[in-house]
Amino acid sequence: MNTFARLLTRTLVFAFIFSLFAVPTFCFADDGDDTDFDNDGKDDIAVWRPSLATFFILGSETGQQLSYQWGLFGDIPVSGQYSSNLRPDLAVYRPSNGVWYFREWDSDLEFSETDSVQWGGFPGDQPVPCNYNGSSRQDIGIYRSGIWYEKFSPSFSEEAIVAWGSASDQPVPRDVDGDDKCDHVVYRNGLWAVLLSSRDNAESAQVQWGSAGDVPLAADFDGDNIHDFAVYREGTPSLWLIRESKSQGLTSRAISWGTVGDIPVVSDLDGDDEADIIVFRPSEGTWYALLSRDNYLAAQVQSWGLAGDVPVVRRGASIP
């Protein structure tokens, strides 16, 4: 038996979990990974251009266009709110040396302060930043063959190691039990397995949602402060399948959006505390969004980026 099987000590019915332990607080589930750089309550559209190692940000409040060089070619953008500031920091993870590089806001609201933390660097390490300790800030994390290695922000002096999953699983850390802490979640060919932070990582749950080949995404689509299980099924058109937590999984949504080659991302562009359905088309540098405030019926298209840019928002698991 592998580590995953040995640790799956107790499987719970998710309806029971949600009814007893998930208390909605009516705010967007906070994993510390927002991209609201201009602090107007809406996530901003942003890309990282590997060829220039530069962040390009389109502010949602005034349409201000900003660019900041940070990182090197080969880095992975992992921006989020790591520091004590009220706005997200620019951040990259460098696989070649396992160092996380941060560019933080200063008192003049400029990205001038810098910091770095060595954490990772082994072949195959996957960066999995998330708010693991409930601080509302994003912690740094590495997923390595079923083991989670975490350092807690903003001091990065406290660490945790959690065994959950296997080498072939896709890590999708999100708050799926509503306790304002990221749970250790892995996706395996349609099976979601969760180590519950609300039970001190001593109990677990499983949900079947999706199929082999789907891209797992978890976000709060229904506004109950709990991340819903969702998958993106690439095709022409592509299909989003969302399992709603507010009904304990008794209701779901299937929405066609995207096409082959698109990158599925989730973000709150309209500021209504519910995730929007978005694809970034790297071939043309265009964002195609269905906004939750319009019940995912009206499209918003925004050209921001160039071919090969990486969207600086929550991407599907396995998408660098």
Side-chain angles (χ1 to χ4, degrees):
M1 299 290 285
N2 60 22
T3 301
F4 176 86
R6 290 196 302 269
L7 286 169
L8 196 57
T9 58
R10 189 173 179 185
T11 301
L12 303 175
V13 178
F14 253 73
F16 172 75
I17 296 167
F18 290 147
S19 62
L20 291 183
F21 301 102
V23 180
T25 57
F26 304 103
C27 62
F28 193 62
D30 188 3
D31 290 338
D33 62 349
D34 66 275
T35 56
D36 182 13
F37 294 101
D38 56 14
N39 201 32
D40 67 343
K42 301 177 182 179
D43 284 340
D44 302 313
I45 288 177
V47 297
W48 189 75
R49 189 160 300 159
S51 60
L52 300 176
T54 298
F55 288 86
F56 294 88
I57 302 169
L58 179 63
S60 57
E61 183 175 21
T62 63
Q64 184 180 17
Q65 301 180 12
L66 304 171
S67 62
Y68 298 94
Q69 195 285 325
W70 191 243
L72 298 175
F73 182 82
D75 290 351
I76 298 174
V78 288
S79 291
Q81 189 179 344
Y82 297 91
S83 65
S84 298
N85 297 305
L86 297 178
R87 303 186 184 199
D89 308 303
L90 302 180
V92 296
Y93 170 74
R94 189 161 299 160
S96 61
N97 62 5
V99 176
W100 301 63
Y101 296 92
F102 307 102
R103 191 171 177 180
E104 305 169 357
W105 297 89
D106 62 15
S107 58
D108 296 322
L109 296 182
E110 293 290 339
F111 287 112
S112 63
E113 299 182 8
T114 63
D115 194 6
S116 63
V117 177
Q118 203 289 323
W119 196 245
F122 285 82
D125 280 359
Q126 300 179 57
V128 285
C130 211
N131 175 23
Y132 294 103
N133 63 353
S135 67
S136 295
R137 298 184 181 92
Q138 188 156 268
D139 307 307
I140 63 177
I142 289 291
Y143 183 79
R144 182 184 302 155
S145 299
I147 309 296
W148 305 66
Y149 300 87
E150 300 152 12
K151 269 184 176 289
F152 301 134
S153 62
S155 65
F156 302 115
S157 59
E158 296 183 38
E159 304 173 2
I161 299 176
V162 178
W164 188 251
S166 65
S168 59
D169 290 342
Q170 298 179 60
V172 196
R174 290 290 165 246
D175 179 16
V176 299
D177 58 11
D179 67 344
D180 296 323
K181 296 180 182 179
C182 284
D183 302 294
H184 300 86
V185 185
V186 294
Y187 179 82
R188 179 188 300 163
N189 296 329
L191 177 69
W192 299 74
V194 184
L195 193 61
L196 295 161
S197 57
S198 61
R199 297 298 188 91
D200 297 322
N201 293 332
E203 296 181 353
S204 60
Q206 295 182 73
V207 169
Q208 183 69 43
W209 191 254
S211 302
D214 290 348
V215 177
L217 291 150
D220 185 9
F221 293 96
D222 55 20
D224 65 348
N225 199 40
I226 298 171
H227 282 80
D228 308 300
F229 298 111
V231 296
Y232 175 82
R233 188 166 295 165
E234 189 178 59
T236 309
S238 297
L239 186 64
W240 294 68
L241 300 170
I242 302 168
R243 181 185 185 274
E244 296 182 319
S245 57
K246 67 181 180 182
S247 64
Q248 291 79 50
L250 297 179
T251 59
S252 61
R253 305 189 70 165
I255 299 174
S256 296
W257 195 245
T259 190
V260 174
D262 288 350
I263 297 176
V265 298
V266 288
S267 190
D268 184 15
L269 298 179
D270 54 16
D272 67 346
D273 297 332
E274 296 182 15
D276 304 311
I277 291 175
I278 310 165
V279 293
F280 175 73
R281 194 158 295 165
S283 61
E284 57 189 47
T286 303
W287 301 67
Y288 295 86
L290 290 177
L291 302 181
S292 54
R293 70 182 181 195
D294 300 319
N295 199 29
Y296 304 117
L297 296 176
Q300 175 177 304
V301 179
Q302 177 67 58
S303 179
W304 188 251
L306 299 176
D309 286 355
V310 179
V312 184
V313 289
R314 192 184 312 163
R315 304 176 291 279
S318 78
I319 298 174

